Amino acid sequence: MNIIELSGITKTFGSVKAVNNLSLEVPSGSIYGFIGPNGSGKTTTIRMIMKIMYPDSGKLLVNGRETNLERLNDVGYLPEDRGLYKKMKIGELLQFHGELNDGTDLPNRINYWLERLELKAYKEKKVETLSKGMRQKLQFIATILHQPKLIILDEPFTGLDPVNADMMKDIILELQQQGATIIFSTHDMAMAERMCDYIFMIYKGKKVLDGTLENIQDQYGNDTLRIQSDLGAEALKDLKGIENVNNFGKLQEIRLEEGVDPQKILVELLKKTRISKFELTKPSLNDIFIRIAAPERKEVTHA
Amino acid sequence: MHKIWTLFKREYRAAVRTKSFIISLLLVPIMMGGGFVAMVIMDKNKDTDDKKFVVIDHSGLMIDPMKKALEKRNNEEIFNSKTGEKIDAPYVVEFMDPDIQDPETQRLALSNRVESQELYAFIEIGPDILHPAGENKQAYLKYYSQHSFNDQARYWFQNVVNNSVQKIRAAELNLDETQAKDLLWYINVEGMGLVTVDKKTGEQVDAEKTNELQTFLVPYALLIMMFMLVMMSAIPQLSSVMEEKNEKIAEVLLGTITPFQFMMGKVMGGIGVSLTIAAIYIGAGVFTLNYIGMNSLIPVDVLPWFFIYTILFVLMVGSGMAALGATCNDNKDAQSLTFPAMLPTIIPMFLIAPVIADPTGPMATTLALIPPFTPTIMVMRMASTVTIPMWQPFAGLLGVIIFTLFSVWIGARIFRTAILIQGQKPNLATLYKYAFKG
């Protein structure tokens, strides 16, 4: 069963089509990753799902309902731009958000989540005393406090250190196991690859990818080589049949031109240097993203 | 409804828990009544040092009567009759012959003495004050001082001179004291209310004497209070919403509540704040008036209307302010919109005098039935001593309810569209677009 169904959704701002004839189905209980370059229409799509904005045309069902005049209490939303009342105390703020969403057992749940996200000591402090990362965690608690069935997170990991990002990732996975559907937008392709059951990419308002990671990678075939050699990126210079090189320093990921035999590349490389790794693989999500969002560039990216 | 209630609670607490709320609660009445209090304090702490005057009497008639009056004043009137404490300054008068040859030089010399504070003032009495009627008569009484506009001494000399010449004129006509009093008796018109019938007992109730204080003070106080309530609870909605928009709080909340619920929660919070302030001020006012034995000034019949109209007025102005706040991107935008949006609140302040002077006149009646002005003007008229036709408060209320619903509807539409739009300057064209085209 789908918790969200978008059918032919279009949203225009002036002369710009922010979202163009978008159709999408989000199955219940899944983690759906929204990816796309800045300004591609991710946030607009999320805002329409949240009914903060209304589409110009198309049909949008959340939990099977279309009405624009009400808000569903079993949805939790973490917007891209964090906004909290700075003068409120943390405990009061969470109580306010919990009440606004018809949450139950709020005092215990507030204590639980503050403890879990290491904010318990700040419960009686004002929001303005918190660091940016702490505020992000606080807003995350406000999003999930009322145990929503659908959780929409717009770039939830931005601004978090690796420890906190990992902590949030674990919680998101835990919430999924408890039955929640998670939608999150991100620029962190590795995180999307690891966490998402489905990935949707929007580019210039149009859907360009939608499916499981395997399905998406299958569309691009085995055209990627991961190579480790003594010469590193130098070994790849003047090599024919290479469309793009992604240099990670100790490892180079290359995209082959269509119809090029990887064995020929291996032979050419062995003439130049000693090879310690040569792997033919599917393109990473990051590579697919770059292929779509910057197709004209033949860049060498230093990760 | 519970979402509006939750937002209401937050808004109410956020407003009343601040130090600025407590300070304004205390400061506003102090500022409003500050002048009155200052007058009382100054009156109680009068300067009791001698005040020196020079009198130039061209008539030659006033020296003796003035000396007698001065003696009485300085020996009796400036002392508290019970405690004997000196409560006012003695007047010390130097009588000076007029300089017929060079009166201007004499006046300049005296003016210099006043300026150097040797003298408090000097007075010039014209030669013809006894019989001023006729051509080319010089029947003047001139008081030269640095602050002659509002000076008690000036009125004291005026009374002494007039009383004295009246006595001399009566004597010239051989009138005794009673006849003289009859001749000079001036009858003041007495302001009365109307004779009414008690609805419960059916008995006729005599007309009451019009209380001058009530005529002005009660309508004025209620108008000022309504103005204050709107200023403290509805006007701040503009900056509050603008802040929520710029701090991105609005988007967080709009994921949970509709724009209408958001706006209504905020405006209801404003109503809560205004009712709290009203309850405090009116409670304090009623207590004070009871305490000083002036409870007849409490407009018991008008107070329910006052509360109803105040709630609607805050709702009307507050929803407009919230909507405008949603269109603002920065303080500059907010400043440019605040003044025009406040006009319905400010304009009645300039109409206090004409409305109180003629509460049933065409101007007051018409303004009272124009919804943005109804709450203030209607309450002012109802609090006056004049009885206005009973249909008018109800008609005004109906108009205000319809206008408030319209204002909330338009406000919600503007709010809904504008709250997430950044960078668009608010002007009439954009407001129209937000309101009617979405």
Side-chain angles (χ1 to χ4, degrees):
Chain A
M1 189 198 158
N2 297 323
I3 195 163
I4 293 172
E5 288 180 23
L6 277 71
S7 169
I9 292 293
T10 297
K11 179 73 185 174
T12 307
F13 297 112
S15 59
V16 179
K17 270 192 180 172
V19 175
N20 190 358
N21 195 27
L22 174 65
S23 296
L24 189 71
E25 290 176 352
V26 178
S28 289
S30 62
I31 296 185
Y32 224 106
F34 280 24
I35 60 171
N38 296 325
S40 58
K42 295 189 300 289
T43 298
T44 304
T45 304
I46 287 175
R47 283 177 174 172
M48 285 192 287
I49 292 170
M50 287 306 301
K51 294 172 181 177
I52 293 170
M53 280 177 183
Y54 305 134
D56 300 331
S57 60
K59 197 173 177 184
L60 197 160
L61 300 178
V62 177
N63 242 345
R65 300 166 74 173
E66 198 178 11
T67 175
N68 288 331
L69 298 173
E70 62 176 325
R71 292 292 182 272
L72 304 170
N73 286 328
D74 45 11
V75 179
Y77 173 48
L78 179 79
E80 181 185 8
D81 296 312
R82 321 290 183 232
L84 296 165
Y85 287 107
K86 289 179 191 164
K87 297 286 174 192
M88 281 182 95
K89 288 180 181 170
I90 279 117
E92 288 175 352
L93 181 100
L94 290 174
Q95 181 73 27
F96 165 67
H97 280 279
E99 282 181 24
L100 217 49
N101 287 296
D102 280 341
T104 53
D105 192 23
L106 287 174
N108 288 331
R109 295 195 61 76
I110 289 169
N111 286 335
Y112 169 77
W113 283 113
L114 286 176
E115 183 93 53
R116 180 89 190 265
L117 282 151
E118 297 164 359
L119 290 172
K120 188 77 186 285
Y122 299 91
K123 191 180 176 185
E124 294 304 318
K125 296 238 175 4
K126 286 186 177 173
V127 173
E128 62 191 355
T129 63
L130 298 183
S131 69
K132 194 180 167 191
M134 285 173 169
R135 285 188 202 188
Q136 179 133 337
K137 289 197 285 182
L138 177 63
Q139 187 124 31
F140 180 70
I141 298 175
T143 306
I144 60 167
L145 186 63
H146 58 290
Q147 299 171 283
K149 286 180 187 162
L150 172 62
I151 300 167
I152 299 177
L153 310 167
D154 201 350
E155 303 196 19
F157 305 108
T158 308
L160 288 179
D161 62 54
V163 175
N164 280 313
D166 211 44
M167 186 193 287
M168 201 177 282
K169 181 207 75 185
D170 289 344
I171 293 171
I172 291 170
L173 292 172
E174 196 179 300
L175 291 168
Q176 186 203 15
Q177 281 168 5
Q178 289 166 8
T181 308
I182 322 279
I183 289 176
F184 76 88
S185 76
T186 184
H187 289 301
D188 186 340
M189 296 301 123
M191 192 70 94
E193 274 183 346
R194 288 201 301 269
M195 286 182 70
C196 295
D197 300 317
Y198 301 93
I199 290 163
F200 152 72
M201 181 171 174
I202 186 167
Y203 180 58
K204 293 184 177 173
K206 287 189 173 174
K207 181 167 82 175
V208 287
L209 292 176
D210 185 17
T212 61
L213 181 64
E214 291 73 26
N215 288 341
I216 290 168
Q217 286 175 323
D218 284 348
Q219 289 171 30
Y220 286 83
N222 286 346
D223 68 349
T224 301
L225 286 174
R226 286 190 188 133
I227 300 165
Q228 272 183 324
S229 67
D230 289 354
L231 274 179
E234 276 294 306
L236 303 170
K237 265 190 178 174
D238 305 324
L239 213 60
K240 287 177 183 173
I242 294 175
E243 190 177 310
N244 180 58
V245 178
N246 202 353
N247 184 9
F248 293 94
K250 291 180 181 173
L251 183 141
Q252 289 74 45
E253 194 173 274
I254 65 171
R255 192 192 313 155
L256 299 173
E257 284 175 359
E258 205 173 330
V260 173
D261 184 356
Q263 295 299 324
K264 281 188 178 173
I265 300 289
L266 178 61
V267 170
E268 290 299 317
L269 280 172
L270 283 169
K271 288 177 188 170
K272 290 183 176 182
T273 185
R274 200 174 68 86
I275 305 293
S276 51
K277 180 173 181 174
F278 189 87
E279 182 187 7
L280 180 62
T281 184
K282 290 173 183 173
S284 66
L285 190 59
N286 191 67
D287 192 28
I288 294 170
F289 184 101
I290 292 168
R291 287 187 204 188
I292 295 168
E296 71 280 6
R297 285 189 241 161
K298 304 278 183 187
E299 76 278 48
V300 174
T301 311
H302 297 276
Chain B
M1 190 65 200
H2 102 275
K3 292 191 182 212
I4 295 178
W5 172 245
T6 304
L7 206 61
F8 160 81
K9 281 193 294 182
R10 199 215 79 82
E11 287 298 313
Y12 181 77
R13 283 182 194 147
V16 300
R17 274 184 183 176
T18 58
K19 283 176 194 154
S20 65
F21 177 78
I22 312 268
I23 291 167
S24 18
L25 203 63
L26 296 170
L27 269 186
V28 171
I30 289 172
M31 282 164 67
M32 295 284 182
F36 180 72
V37 173
M39 271 170 60
V40 172
I41 292 170
M42 283 173 72
D43 200 50
K44 282 192 173 174
N45 295 289
K46 272 185 179 171
D47 180 12
T48 54
D49 293 339
D50 290 1
K51 282 186 177 152
K52 292 179 183 169
F53 300 87
V54 164
V55 172
I56 303 167
D57 183 9
H58 292 273
S59 71
L61 297 169
M62 287 298 111
I63 295 174
D64 288 339
M66 206 170 272
K67 278 182 178 170
K68 278 185 190 169
L70 278 167
E71 197 180 330
K72 191 178 179 205
R73 183 181 187 282
N74 292 346
N75 293 334
E76 297 171 22
E77 290 169 4
I78 62 168
F79 295 97
N80 185 311
S81 56
K82 288 178 186 167
T83 61
E85 185 194 0
K86 187 156 81 170
I87 53 171
D88 209 344
Y91 292 166
V92 178
V93 176
E94 174 192 342
F95 293 95
M96 190 177 276
D97 290 335
D99 186 341
I100 308 294
Q101 301 301 321
D102 193 0
E104 290 304 324
T105 305
Q106 185 180 33
R107 285 186 197 119
L108 180 62
L110 289 170
S111 294
N112 289 337
R113 286 174 68 189
V114 173
E115 204 166 14
S116 67
Q117 298 191 343
E118 182 196 334
L119 288 180
Y120 187 76
F122 70 94
I123 298 108
E124 208 175 354
I125 302 169
D128 301 321
I129 52 160
L130 190 60
H131 300 296
E135 281 184 15
N136 301 322
K137 296 281 186 152
Q138 294 188 52
Y140 53 81
L141 178 59
K142 290 179 180 171
Y143 183 88
Y144 299 84
S145 80
Q146 284 181 312
H147 31 70
S148 60
F149 173 67
N150 185 19
D151 187 339
Q152 280 189 348
R154 171 183 156 181
Y155 299 106
W156 185 84
F157 283 103
Q158 176 183 286
N159 287 336
V160 169
V161 170
N162 278 294
N163 289 339
S164 302
V165 292
Q166 281 170 5
K167 276 184 186 168
I168 299 169
R169 288 173 196 150
E172 282 180 353
L173 295 168
N174 295 318
L175 299 174
D176 61 27
E177 200 173 331
T178 313
Q179 286 172 316
K181 271 189 181 170
D182 283 349
L183 183 68
L184 299 169
W185 196 273
Y186 189 84
I187 301 170
N188 285 310
V189 64
E190 244 179 303
M192 303 293 291
L194 295 177
V195 176
T196 54
V197 175
D198 190 314
K199 284 177 186 166
K200 286 178 187 166
T201 61
E203 285 178 16
Q204 185 171 313
V205 181
D206 287 342
E208 283 184 18
K209 202 171 173 181
T210 308
N211 185 333
E212 300 297 334
L213 198 61
Q214 191 172 9
T215 306
F216 181 78
L217 190 68
V218 176
Y220 178 76
L222 289 179
L223 175 72
I224 292 287
M225 190 177 297
M226 203 182 273
F227 175 76
M228 265 168 29
L229 295 177
V230 171
M231 291 298 289
M232 289 175 76
S233 58
I235 305 294
Q237 297 290 343
L238 192 146
S239 53
S240 165
V241 169
M242 186 187 74
E243 197 183 326
E244 279 162 351
K245 177 182 175 177
N246 291 339
E247 297 279 336
K248 314 293 180 192
I249 296 166
E251 187 177 349
V252 178
L253 295 180
L254 288 174
T256 309
I257 53 176
T258 62
F260 180 75
Q261 288 170 329
F262 187 9
M263 195 185 83
M264 284 311 290
K266 292 193 71 67
V267 176
M268 296 303 274
I271 291 174
V273 171
S274 65
L275 289 180
T276 305
I277 303 167
I280 292 170
Y281 285 161
I282 289 180
V286 168
F287 176 80
T288 310
L289 289 172
N290 269 320
Y291 186 75
I292 59 174
M294 294 177 78
N295 48 6
S296 64
L297 285 180
I298 302 166
V300 180
D301 297 346
V302 183
L303 285 180
W305 286 101
F306 171 80
F307 277 104
I308 292 168
Y309 273 128
T310 299
I311 290 170
L312 289 168
F313 199 29
V314 172
L315 191 58
M316 185 201 297
V317 178
S319 55
M321 285 292 169
L324 291 178
T327 67
C328 293
N329 302 299
D330 50 38
N331 284 332
K332 208 173 161 188
D333 290 346
Q335 280 163 7
S336 65
L337 285 177
T338 305
F339 181 71
M342 277 171 62
L343 282 178
T345 324
I346 294 171
I347 288 173
M349 301 295 289
F350 296 103
L351 299 169
I352 296 174
V355 170
I356 291 178
D358 189 7
T360 51
M363 190 187 86
T365 308
T366 308
L367 282 170
L369 294 172
I370 298 174
F373 305 124
T374 302
T376 42
I377 304 281
M378 191 67 82
V379 166
M380 236 199 312
R381 295 169 73 225
M382 293 174 80
S384 71
T385 49
V386 174
T387 307
I388 63 169
M390 204 52 216
W391 65 268
Q392 288 186 7
F394 285 103
L397 186 63
L398 185 68
V400 170
I401 289 172
I402 292 169
F403 189 79
T404 303
L405 288 174
F406 176 72
S407 168
V408 170
W409 179 75
I410 284 277
R413 285 186 66 85
I414 294 174
F415 189 93
R416 187 193 77 183
T417 315
I419 192 75
L420 292 174
I421 293 178
Q422 299 283 354
Q424 280 251 22
K425 284 274 171 200
N427 53 41
L428 277 179
T430 51
L431 289 178
Y432 176 81
K433 191 177 127 198
Y434 295 155
F436 297 104
K437 295 184 177 173

